[in-house]
Amino acid sequence: GGTGGAKQLTLAVNSGVEGDALKQAAQDYEAQTGVHIQIAEFPYANLFEKELVDLGAGTGAYDLIMLDDPWFPKFSTQGFLTDLQPLFAKRGRGGPDEDFVPSSIALCRHPYSTGALYALPYVGNSQLFFYRKDLFEKHNLKELKTWDDVLAAARTINEREATGAPGGGKVYGYVMRAAQGNAAVADFMPIFWAFGAEMFDAAGRPTVNSAEGVNALKFMLELGKYSPPGYASFNADEVSAHLLQGTAAMSINWPAWISSFSDAAKSKVIGKMDFTDMPGAKLAGRAEIGNWLIAIPRDAKNMDAAFDFLLWATTSEQMKRSALRGNPPTRRSVFTDAELLAKFPAYAVQLRSLENSRPRPRTPLWNEIENTFGIFLSKANTGELTPEEAMSRANAEIAKIIESGR
Amino acid sequence: MRRRQILAAEYERALPYLLVAPTLLVLIALSIYPLIYAVRVSFQTGVGTGARWTLQNFTRLASDSFFLSALAHTLVYAVVALTFEFLLGLGLALLLNREMRGRSLFRATLLVPLMLPPVVVGVVWRLMFNPNFGAINGTLKGFGLNTEALVWTASPKLALASVIAVDVWQWTPFVFLVLLAGLQAIPQEPYEAALIDGSSPWQTFRHITLPLLKPAILIALLLRTMDLLRVFDQIFILTEGGPGFATETISLYIYRAAFRFGNFGYAAAMSFVLLLLTNIISLVYIRLLQRQETA
Amino acid sequence: MGVRFENITKVFGPAVVVDHLNLAVENGEFVVLLGPSGCGKTTTLRMLAGLEEVSAGDIYIGAERVNDIPTQHRDIAMVFQSYALYPHMTIAENIAYPLRVRKTGREETRRRVERVAGMLEITGLMARRPRELSGGERQRVALARAIIREPRLYLMDEPLSNLDARLRVQMRGELKRLQHELGTTTVYVTHDQAEAMTLAHRVAVMSAGRLQQFDTPMNIYQRPANRFVAEFVGSPPMNFIEGRTDAGARVFRGSRGVALPLSENQLGRMNGRERVTLGIRPEHLLISRAAREGWQPAHVYVTELMGNETLVFLRLGNEKIIARAEADFRADPETPVWVGFEMERADFFDAESGEALR
Amino acid sequence: MGVRFENITKVFGPAVVVDHLNLAVENGEFVVLLGPSGCGKTTTLRMLAGLEEVSAGDIYIGAERVNDIPTQHRDIAMVFQSYALYPHMTIAENIAYPLRVRKTGREETRRRVERVAGMLEITGLMARRPRELSGGERQRVALARAIIREPRLYLMDEPLSNLDARLRVQMRGELKRLQHELGTTTVYVTHDQAEAMTLAHRVAVMSAGRLQQFDTPMNIYQRPANRFVAEFVGSPPMNFIEGRTDAGARVFRGSRGVALPLSENQLGRMNGRERVTLGIRPEHLLISRAAREGWQPAHVYVTELMGNETLVFLRLGNEKIIARAEADFRADPETPVWVGFEMERADFFDAESGEALR
Amino acid sequence: MKRETQSDERRVYARAGQARRKAAARVCVYALIMLALLATLAPVYWMVTISLKSEVDQFAVPPRWLQFAPTLAHYRDAFFARSFGQYLITSLIVSVASTACATTLGTLAAYALARFRWPSRVGTRLSLWILSTRMFPPIVTAIPLFLMMRDVRLLNTRASLIIVYTAFNLPFVVWMMRGFFQEIPRDLEEAARVDGDSRMGALRRVVLPLVAPGLAATAIFCLIISWNELLFALILTQTDAAMTLPVGIAGRVTQYEIKWGVMSAAGVVAMMPILLFALSVQRYLVRGLSLGAVK
Ligand SMILES: Nc1ncnc2c1ncn2[C@@H]1O[C@H](COP(=O)(O)OP(=O)(O)OP(=O)(O)O)[C@@H](O)[C@H]1O
Ligand SMILES: Nc1ncnc2c1ncn2[C@@H]1O[C@H](COP(=O)(O)OP(=O)(O)OP(=O)(O)O)[C@@H](O)[C@H]1O
Ligand SMILES: [Mg+2]
Ligand SMILES: [Mg+2]
């Protein structure tokens, strides 16, 4: 790390489209300001552990880090991050401007949405509902409003498209992402919420085994019947593969995939895929939010230089560039930018779903809880446990975690 | 003259220590501190400043059903994989321990799985196991089999078998490599004597080859066991321990505790259990296989 | 079981190691292979055992051609020149191995192991491993491992070479008795003349992979087929004197006026050949310090005291010859002596071919 | 360089293998170690070479105590009983190894290798590997590797045991010459009496780790220190007849009326001892088919034809004795013969201790 | 005479189909080897095809073993998109260096442990301890090692990886080589020392050539291990400057997708250097010449 002169910054990024964007931004910044920015790029799986270890050990190896929003509570509660407020103040600004999507900014505060600001949102991902509009027209299925519509559509397609896939194979009505762990949970949460279930009650006690919770799970299993065999091991890759190969008609997925569907090298369903808001049930559908944030570690060596870059990188024109590089923005102005809308027709939907998206529960124990919850969802998916058993045992285990976390 | 020789004698006496010294230094330097660290954190909760001294990490082990089933999976995994890897490796080593055309090419080729980065292995197999696009079911379908039920890593019944299969595929070459080198070191005379004494191929194998191969066998078993009990990469990529915890092994669980949940104390505590386990098994092997040293 | 080599040839790369060997061993016969180091004895045994493939020719054991029969089916016991003990087994296990592979009962195994161990005086070593034995002990273990069985064929490659004289005589006796009792055909390699003479029914003398003579020990010694055999068998070796026959004077003329009378029959054997080589063994030379009628003058150039006898190295004409004398014979170098030839014991060889003249 | 063993003891676990050995070898002396298999010869050499630690006692080479001096600094050349050739090197490399480690120039190395190779008749094998050699060839390579150097000390453990008679005689000569030229102190183990007799300045006879006698070959043979030496040295071994002295009649009385006259001086040596053992070598027994004055009646029970002589096994009284006879002596079992004793050559031993009576 | 008859029929049976049985045996051997090769190489071949297929073909049903439009896109992506060249160099340096260190130090130590007289069982104890240093799960040692390296300012350097991999491979080398040293007849070293060679000289000139097969096998394996190691490489490096190939490859597993093609391509390339090395040391893998060494 550079000392004092702040002519050098080190930046830990996620390897993938988000990191690449920031990397290129950094090069532009270097060209403009002459501040050399060194990039440390890590696989998504490992970025977290790297940051955990480095920040925990206070090596000050990084001046800036990218982090996925679920990690934020842990980092902030453990005091790994720098409060940005003073830095804003230093530059005579009250804080981030209003252009940021509130749900995104809320993620960057600890406690959630009310507390101090420890990061700025860089990539505005939130789940979308993908579906094959060609098939919907073909079988004139009604527009998707509720999960029951989804189920009905799935059933129809399963029956009618036994050989409808490009290879002559079967088109499955729905493809679920249910690999143990994060995957299963991420795909389940929208249903879970829509059915009116909640992870915790006001007192922070787990309530996953509520009647709503169990029903949500039952519904998920029902939906699973129309998913390709082995969906219990699917992760984003398999899901996307099915959609791209045209062997599945509907799924929850992340915007990062949208571009692929129009890429001949990857897609057999060019022009046939459409995107809509998360379906609802008892409640209106809400997507799970998954933003990439940028923060300054507590032990960063060049806070000010780092903060300057942070501000620069999250300006709307920089974010537009990032958007052009394939990352959904976190600013309304960018979402509504004409040029971008032309290039990314889904932006309207994305903005909507981002704005009323929901974050995963903001607890430092989330990883642990999500993992456990995922295990039992998976057990339910493989039929090892009945929905009731699964939920009640999940509840018990989650309670344990919270207990030992105290 | 005399002094030179006395020095020589001293040097001769010191030599063995000089020879092991570097190794010991490196190992001490890189193993003592981590050990101390692990011991310390295993008796603490929380990290850094907020750390408290406690036994809870160990007490928790007993009641942690996840830990116990992970332990069970690990043992099953190790035993089954080791059995196959050893038998196959031994078989291959014996097959290729003879003069034949193309031998050296065969040998090198058989090592290929060993040479692939575990991540890649995991990825490739994950793709092959895919029930719908995967090469395996695809080929089976090609033979007209119904593969509806064969969802490999997605089925709680097949998942463990599947990851074991991958391990066998990747690590049998190692056993093969070690045992082959061992076979190569066995002199020819005893075999000729055995022929003369009229021992059948099987008897020769049983009474001559196996005993003389003991050192190599010991090494192969020791190292494979140690690594099997710590198996991580392939499973992590293939199943992340799923479905429904069916393939979760200790290392995965330790990994989560340490790197996902930031609970180093608990991770360390579990590692000590693993260490103990490994130690016991190793000692058993050594008891059984160590050739008594006749100085 | 008889053994028959038919035109057996063995080549290692360029080198012809056994060259068109023809040899027929009777059933129950004890045959000794004799020959210089590297002449192909071990190779011959190994081919018979099936440890080496033959390059050409056929080997028969009894009536059947065994070229393609794997060693373990030939029912042979062999003592390897390099022992080839099982390093990981105790001595007892080593010796018992042939029985073990035949699933012999524990009790009988014990009995037989003890018997041979006793016979070979290695009873005390049973619990050790080969590497803890002395050379001679190892060799006896190798021998024990062979004779514990009753195979169709014994092959022994210098089985006593590392034993002391006493043991060797004793083992010789044991082997003779054993072979006599079991009547097992035996092919035996040795460099020890005493073993060859006392054990063999017939001796096969080889040189450079070729069979030189195959006959009873006595005939080998007393009626060698050619100069090589004559020289190779017997130590100290036979003396040779180059010369020519004077048919008229009925004498054999060596260098420097050495002249030895020839009998009618000897002359006959030479039938007219001019250049011949006279061969006579050291024990058929007599030495006297005083001149005698018909004895040849010579000079001592060195004497070797063997204890039981003295070897006298003499210069006779241009030739160097060796004579055996009493243990107490002493003479300084250059002492003039007279040498008497027991001419009726003399042998004659063709100077070119080296064939014996009979 | 002289060599001195002082109270050297070597134990392997429980077994005492060398037992308080005291032995002083003169500088430039050629000493032969003789003894039954397993008596500790090799162990002795190995201790001298520093390959085995001594359990007790001191070893001196020249003036200095070498117990703690590592082998490679003792400047010794050794022929191992088990050749210990380097399997991965060619014969040439094997032989050249001692020079190589001494960084001898390539040219000189070549020259010396060729010389010893020629001396040992292995010139043709230079490019081969040990496993492609015959036993005897390997042994000669081992020998070559030792004598290519000019060390302070030669140690040779049965270096000729696997060679044929002709080569053995020849090598014997070479070694003798070599040792004579270089005057290098040599300790030599052999089981071959001829080697011991012809090579040794002095012979050390060992038994079960203990030194029995250390003397010139002739004395060992003719004046054995005790019954063990007498019996061990010489083949066929000395005959022993248990009996008692009749001082009055001046005769030695064996069993069944065997009575042999004793000289004044012999009687003197026994000074009054009653029970003694008479020892007489086979070559000092004469055989006649007709009765003679003072000769003892006996029966042939077997004859062994050695070619150059015939060994006659006789039953005399209760004793079995062996006599040497002419090569052409023949006799069927049970033939009655008369045996003449050259009594002046007879030796007498204390019946209990086995000590020679002198 | 039961024995006779039995061995008689043994022989008859033997004579009957001797030649045929030989031929049959040879065929069997080759068949088995082919089977093994197939099992080994099928997934590798699959990987290669994946690396050459566009995504559309990767997931095609039924799987395309042969008929697909090959593309080098993934290779381009793998090697130009990120600084793979640099990773490759780092990996080479790190794994070669650590292999060299580990085999050298380990061989010396192994020799001392296998050949020298040690006071009462110290040798065995040492060996056991050395082995035990490899039993602790790397996941747990990673963090303390990270802290150590931070304190000695070696974080994010190739040196740190070299050191760690050396330590990681040492126990393996020591045990492997110890086993092989014990197989070599002592007489040979004794002969060497009688011939005036030092202990080390004897080791270099006599013993090592004889354990060459073992050494080659050991080296190959060390190389493979350090070549593919992921965890430490991740923890101990921070920037491209010191990252190794596996890290680079793992980087292709992104949050939303696995770049199957790119990973396979990387795998194919990553495998090559090791494969070449393995092929180049093949000749050392052949018989230890311990034959005919001693009587
Ligand atoms: N593998 C081989 N390659 C090349 N030549 C060999 C091989 N084995 C043996 N020979 C040669 O074949 C010849 C005969 O070897 P063999 O062992 O039969 O001799 P031998 O009669 O037993 O000699 P010895 O009495 O010394 O044991 C020798 O000259 C030897 O060099
Ligand atoms: N490593 C060992 N452990 C136990 N006993 C041993 C060991 N080495 C040798 N011996 C014993 O020590 C005794 C002497 O062995 P040594 O080799 O010196 O005999 P030797 O005189 O050379 O016999 P040979 O003439 O047969 O070679 C033998 O009885 C042998 O069994
Ligand atoms: Mg031989
Ligand atoms: Mg010996």
Side-chain angles (χ1 to χ4, degrees), chain B residues 187 189-201 203-204 206-208 211-212 291-292 294, chain C residues 46 49 51 71-72 76 78 80 84 86-89 97-98 100-103 129 131-132 145 149:
Chain B
E189 284 90 345
Y191 286 106
E192 296 190 340
L195 285 178
I196 289 290
D197 291 345
S199 85
S200 66
Q203 286 169 318
T204 308
R206 174 81 192 63
H207 302 315
I208 311 294
L212 289 176
R291 153 113 26 102
Q292 60 275 47
T294 34
Chain C
R46 287 173 59 83
L51 296 173
T71 305
Q72 68 267 32
I76 285 175
M78 177 166 177
F80 288 81
Y86 305 119
H88 58 293
M89 300 185 191
Y97 192 70
R100 182 170 170 202
V101 298
R102 286 173 180 66
K103 314 238 180 325
R129 290 216 157 47
R131 68 160 75 81
E132 301 169 327
R145 188 177 58 186
R149 283 174 53 200

Side-chain angles (χ1 to χ4, degrees), chain D residues 167-339:
Chain D
L167 261 176
R168 208 176 294 182
V169 173
Q170 191 170 328
M171 295 304 138
R172 226 160 66 193
E174 295 290 356
L175 287 179
K176 190 163 191 157
R177 196 180 47 63
L178 188 76
Q179 203 269 343
H180 190 77
E181 283 171 8
L182 304 177
T184 313
T185 316
T186 307
V187 184
Y188 187 105
V189 173
T190 183
H191 289 310
D192 179 328
Q193 189 185 333
E195 282 171 34
M197 288 299 175
T198 53
L199 288 175
H201 297 131
R202 283 193 293 172
V203 176
V205 182
M206 293 178 69
S207 165
R210 277 198 215 72
L211 183 62
Q212 299 297 321
Q213 187 174 1
F214 184 38
D215 205 340
T216 63
M218 264 312 161
N219 285 346
I220 293 277
Y221 191 81
Q222 294 177 337
R223 308 174 53 75
N226 56 41
R227 185 173 161 165
F228 171 84
V229 176
E231 184 170 15
F232 185 78
V233 178
S235 167
M238 185 183 265
N239 300 299
F240 295 98
I241 301 176
E242 303 297 336
R244 38 188 9 83
T245 49
D246 180 337
R250 291 190 168 182
V251 289
F252 169 89
R253 299 201 184 285
S255 56
R256 304 239 180 121
V258 173
L260 300 162
L262 295 175
S263 69
E264 217 18 278
N265 134 320
Q266 287 172 330
L267 267 175
R269 281 196 260 147
M270 312 199 185
N271 55 22
R273 264 200 205 65
E274 257 280 300
R275 303 195 46 264
V276 297
T277 306
L278 174 150
I280 187 158
R281 295 202 177 272
E283 60 267 29
H284 300 141
L285 293 177
L286 310 172
I287 299 183
S288 126
R289 293 170 176 281
R292 294 200 190 172
E293 170 56 29
W295 288 31
Q296 310 292 328
H299 289 84
V300 175
Y301 72 91
V302 71
T303 58
E304 259 186 5
L305 312 182
M306 308 303 287
N308 58 326
E309 64 185 0
T310 301
L311 298 182
V312 189
F313 294 71
L314 302 158
R315 221 179 297 93
L316 173 81
N318 307 339
E319 316 279 352
K320 291 194 169 136
I321 61 174
I322 308 179
R324 283 196 150 115
E326 286 299 305
D328 51 10
F329 179 93
R330 297 282 183 281
D332 304 331
E334 295 318 317
T335 322
V337 293
W338 280 259
V339 185

Side-chain angles (χ1 to χ4, degrees), chain D residues 46 82 86-88 97 102, chain E residues 187 190 194-195 197 205 289:
Chain D
R46 288 173 56 80
S82 64
Y86 308 122
H88 57 294
Y97 189 81
R102 285 176 180 64
Chain E
D187 310 37
E190 293 175 347
V194 165
D195 289 344
D197 210 343
R205 281 181 279 261
L289 308 117

